[in-house]
Amino acid sequence: MSTRLKRLYKITQTMLSYGLDEIIPAHWLPWSVRLGRHLLFWIPNKHKQQPAGVRLRLALESLGPVWVKFGQMLSTRRDLLPPDIANELAVLQDKVKAFDGQQAQRLIEKALELENIHDAFDDFMVQPLASASIAQVHTATLKHGDDAGTEVVIKVIRPDIRPTIDADLRLMETLASVLARHLPDGRRLKPREVVKEYRKTLIDELDLLREAANAIQLKRNFADSKLLYIPTVFSDYSRPNVMVMERIDGIPVSDVDTLMAMGVDMKKLAERGVEVFFTQVFRDSFFHADMHPGNIFVSRQHPDDPQYLGIDFGIVGTLNREDKRYLAENFLAFFNRDYRKVAELHIDSGWVPKHVNVEEFESAIRTVCEPIFNKPLAEISFGNVLVNLFNTARRFEMEVQPQLVLLQKTLLYVEGLGRTLYPQLDLWKTAKPFLERWMHEQLGWRAVIRSVKENAPFWAEKLPEMPTLLYDYLNTQRHQADYQQRMMLQLAEQQRQHAQQVWWGMITAAMLVSTTLLVVAKVAWFYPAATGAAALVSAWLSWRRKRSS
């Protein structure tokens, strides 16, 4: 508990020293919080000269890797942050001091059950090649098997990182609950949901077996592709905290000067980046969702026909068939400025509730998007259009799903990368033919033929069973019809008996009333007659009950 309080104080001290309390509007803070800020925490803002976004970035960097990655994730939620803060968070660098290489070697040996690292690897470099918040990478060469002599990188999770992550995540969840409860706009900002989403992403990144599986899937999707090369993962040497992968020799995609000096076709490189993204999303439904410049390289071979090299597959996104179709139709409707279609698609897909007025929604989309289209297409940000669309839809009760947030983030990365490589890139012109071709393949006669081919083995297996299944179905229907007829007859008989019971009940009631009146009138001959009539009625009713049963 004391450790947690110390960490909470450290976080509070850091936030106040960078003046992050000043970012929150004063009318959002209760008077008690404002008073406590001045009485209990006398720490002044030491960075008043810096803009708010810079102060927030510096504070997160000083708090450590968990908070750095949180800031990176927040930078993709432009619906929650002002543009200047979102842009500053986007430049957060996930680079931290490396931990001891000898300790990394011991972790690898323990994970792979080796007496010595050299039992499986040659040329192991104790000095890490790169270091990040979750893991660091060492180089080596495979020693045995068919792949002996292959240069590899060994990725190893930082020691004791999980307790640190768990502790900071618990504090984040506490702070999120406080913000959700006390901020006037807490419900819209959804701090609890943001932290929950971050927890899942971060925990997934700690499992290198998951990352290895993602890499294998992507490599299979782009086998023999000129667009993207995924390094080979050596599964026999991979564990939850260790992953061994082929070492690549590429140029960082952010090193534009070197790329241009090598004579790389920058226009083709930028366009292929867009094609890689749309291929992953619409063809494979499985996309690399962390495509920032640090994870993307360019092959040194064939500069006139450039190929991307990808690494770091801890975060991937998936889309189902319905999401893909609605996204493609939405994009094409935007290209054609068919805002009515966009509004209807959002409602049909379930992203926006059915009760939303489609005319009002269409008008809101037009209001946001028409000013954008007054610019030349080459100057329009595809990613920002998607952000504006989601922001508008959220006003109409749209709940953005996690896979759409990942898609938005990845599209922003891809577009920024493409414009860096080739500023004249017309993303719309590059994307529209791809989307039209995909829609044609999904909804045209080719889709029908492909569906028949895909289902042919299933139908070939079931066809011999069809006569038996048909006979069983018809036989069941006949028995069901007979059963329903018997039940209807039984119900009719019960209704008839009930009607008779009501009728005789009314006669009995009338006789009781008459009997009472005659007793009151003291008619002498009535007593024996009434007794005999009552006995007769009682006997008759008893006989009816026995017959009915």
Side-chain angles (χ1 to χ4, degrees):
M1 186 66 179
S2 59
T3 303
R4 188 176 181 183
L5 289 175
K6 288 179 181 178
R7 182 60 175 164
L8 179 59
Y9 179 78
K10 174 64 176 176
I11 293 170
T12 305
Q13 180 188 43
T14 301
M15 289 182 173
L16 294 179
S17 66
Y18 283 95
L20 299 189
D21 58 313
E22 299 173 7
I23 297 177
I24 303 174
H27 65 275
W28 281 16
L29 298 175
W31 67 269
S32 56
V33 174
R34 295 198 298 272
L35 180 63
R37 165 69 177 94
H38 294 289
L39 294 181
L40 301 178
F41 298 104
W42 48 268
I43 303 164
N45 178 4
K46 300 176 182 178
H47 304 81
K48 291 184 178 181
Q49 71 282 4
Q50 298 284 4
V54 174
R55 282 187 275 133
L56 178 58
R57 175 176 61 80
L58 294 174
L60 293 176
E61 287 177 344
S62 67
L63 286 174
V66 176
W67 295 83
V68 167
K69 296 191 77 67
F70 184 65
Q72 290 175 331
M73 189 273 290
L74 274 182
S75 71
T76 69
R77 297 300 304 270
R78 292 173 180 262
D79 54 307
L80 304 180
L81 300 171
D84 59 324
I85 292 180
N87 291 336
E88 193 64 39
L89 292 180
V91 302
L92 277 170
Q93 294 298 309
D94 191 19
K95 295 180 179 179
V96 297
K97 183 180 178 181
F99 65 92
D100 181 56
Q102 295 288 348
Q103 187 178 13
Q105 178 178 328
R106 290 192 295 271
L107 288 171
I108 296 168
E109 290 170 344
K110 181 179 179 181
L112 299 181
E113 299 178 352
L114 301 173
E115 290 292 333
N116 188 285
I117 193 76
H118 299 294
D119 293 343
F121 303 98
D122 287 327
D123 307 321
F124 177 79
M125 293 296 295
V126 175
Q127 183 69 25
L129 177 67
S131 178
S133 57
I134 300 295
Q136 70 184 33
V137 172
H138 295 259
T139 61
T141 304
L142 289 181
K143 191 171 184 177
H144 303 293
D146 297 337
D147 300 304
T150 302
E151 292 187 356
V152 296
V153 292
I154 308 175
K155 185 174 184 178
V156 56
I157 298 292
R158 286 179 169 272
D160 304 322
I161 188 68
R162 185 61 185 263
T164 302
I165 287 176
D166 287 339
D168 276 358
L169 285 175
R170 285 195 295 271
L171 286 174
M172 284 183 181
E173 288 164 351
T174 301
L175 292 173
S177 297
V178 172
L179 292 175
R181 188 178 301 112
H182 294 292
L183 290 185
D185 214 16
R187 184 175 179 180
R188 184 187 70 83
L189 296 176
K190 298 183 178 179
R192 293 191 189 96
E193 289 79 357
V194 170
V195 173
K196 182 179 179 180
E197 176 188 333
Y198 174 59
R199 169 184 280 277
K200 181 181 182 303
T201 299
L202 195 57
I203 297 303
D204 285 350
E205 285 195 75
L206 290 173
D207 186 357
L208 294 186
L209 286 179
R210 179 189 294 270
E211 180 176 344
N214 293 339
I216 293 169
Q217 177 71 56
L218 282 169
K219 186 172 182 66
R220 183 164 63 249
N221 291 345
F222 284 87
D224 303 321
S225 171
K226 292 183 178 181
L227 302 175
L228 176 66
Y229 181 80
I230 304 296
T232 300
V233 171
F234 299 98
S235 301
D236 292 343
Y237 297 100
S238 295
R239 302 291 186 272
N241 66 327
V242 171
M243 184 178 73
V244 178
M245 186 173 64
E246 172 191 2
R247 185 179 182 182
I248 58 172
D249 180 23
I251 305 166
V253 74
S254 57
D255 190 355
V256 177
D257 292 338
T258 302
L259 292 173
M260 295 184 69
M262 287 185 59
V264 173
D265 187 334
M266 303 300 284
K267 181 174 183 294
K268 181 179 286 189
L269 183 64
E271 292 174 346
R272 283 191 167 179
V274 177
E275 188 175 353
V276 165
F277 169 75
F278 281 101
T279 300
Q280 290 182 76
V281 170
F282 290 103
R283 188 195 69 183
D284 304 328
S285 305
F286 189 84
F287 59 95
H288 191 320
D290 200 17
M291 295 178 66
H292 62 76
N295 291 336
I296 305 296
F297 297 81
V298 179
S299 173
R300 297 180 183 274
Q301 302 176 0
H302 311 295
D304 57 331
D305 190 24
Q307 182 186 44
Y308 285 98
L309 311 173
I311 61 169
D312 199 349
F313 314 103
I315 306 174
V316 297
T318 59
L319 295 175
N320 59 38
R321 186 187 299 270
E322 289 74 20
D323 282 343
K324 283 195 301 182
R325 185 167 67 84
Y326 281 116
L327 275 172
E329 290 182 349
N330 264 296
F331 285 145
L332 290 174
F334 264 113
F335 287 137
N336 299 321
R337 303 195 191 187
D338 187 352
Y339 304 121
R340 176 75 176 203
K341 180 72 171 176
V342 173
E344 291 174 345
L345 285 168
H346 274 69
I347 295 173
D348 291 343
S349 67
W351 296 348
V352 170
K354 297 287 185 184
H355 63 77
V356 167
N357 186 297
V358 67
E359 286 79 14
E360 292 181 4
F361 189 25
E362 175 191 0
S363 177
I365 295 172
R366 179 180 292 106
T367 301
V368 169
C369 295
E370 272 303 320
I372 296 173
F373 281 106
N374 286 332
K375 302 177 182 178
L377 283 179
E379 298 178 13
I380 297 175
S381 168
F382 207 156
N384 286 336
V385 167
L386 194 62
V387 172
N388 290 334
L389 170 62
F390 287 167
N391 289 348
T392 302
R394 189 170 285 106
R395 286 167 41 205
F396 289 83
E397 304 177 45
M398 176 180 175
E399 296 290 338
V400 177
Q401 302 169 32
Q403 70 271 23
L404 299 184
V405 174
L406 282 175
L407 181 82
Q408 172 184 304
K409 161 191 166 183
T410 307
L411 183 55
L412 287 168
Y413 276 151
V414 169
E415 184 173 55
L417 175 64
R419 293 260 164 85
T420 300
L421 296 174
Y422 187 71
Q424 297 80 27
L425 174 67
D426 187 340
L427 192 65
W428 302 78
K429 183 178 179 180
T430 306
K432 186 176 181 180
F434 184 95
L435 292 172
E436 289 176 335
R437 184 172 64 252
W438 184 84
M439 286 295 296
H440 180 70
E441 291 174 352
Q442 293 298 309
L443 303 179
W445 60 269
R446 293 180 182 176
V448 176
I449 294 176
R450 184 173 62 254
S451 178
V452 170
K453 288 182 178 179
E454 289 174 354
N455 292 300
F458 173 80
W459 289 115
E461 178 185 350
K462 296 297 180 184
L463 191 60
E465 302 176 18
M466 289 299 292
T468 303
L469 293 173
L470 181 60
Y471 171 79
D472 290 343
Y473 172 77
L474 294 175
N475 195 36
T476 301
Q477 291 296 105
R478 180 172 61 82
H479 287 304
Q480 187 174 1
D482 292 343
Y483 174 76
Q484 289 176 345
Q485 186 177 6
R486 288 196 304 272
M487 293 299 295
M488 291 298 294
L489 291 173
Q490 185 177 350
L491 180 61
E493 177 63 21
Q494 290 175 350
Q495 290 175 340
R496 185 183 65 80
Q497 292 177 5
H498 178 70
Q500 287 183 351
Q501 290 172 359
V502 171
W503 186 77
W504 282 106
M506 292 174 64
I507 292 177
T508 303
M511 290 180 66
L512 288 173
V513 172
S514 300
T515 300
T516 304
L517 292 174
L518 290 172
V519 169
V520 172
K522 298 182 179 179
V523 177
W525 55 264
F526 172 72
Y527 291 103
T531 302
L536 183 63
V537 170
S538 177
W540 184 86
L541 289 174
S542 176
W543 175 77
R544 291 288 301 176
R545 282 194 297 270
K546 290 180 180 178
R547 183 181 177 186
S548 299
S549 61

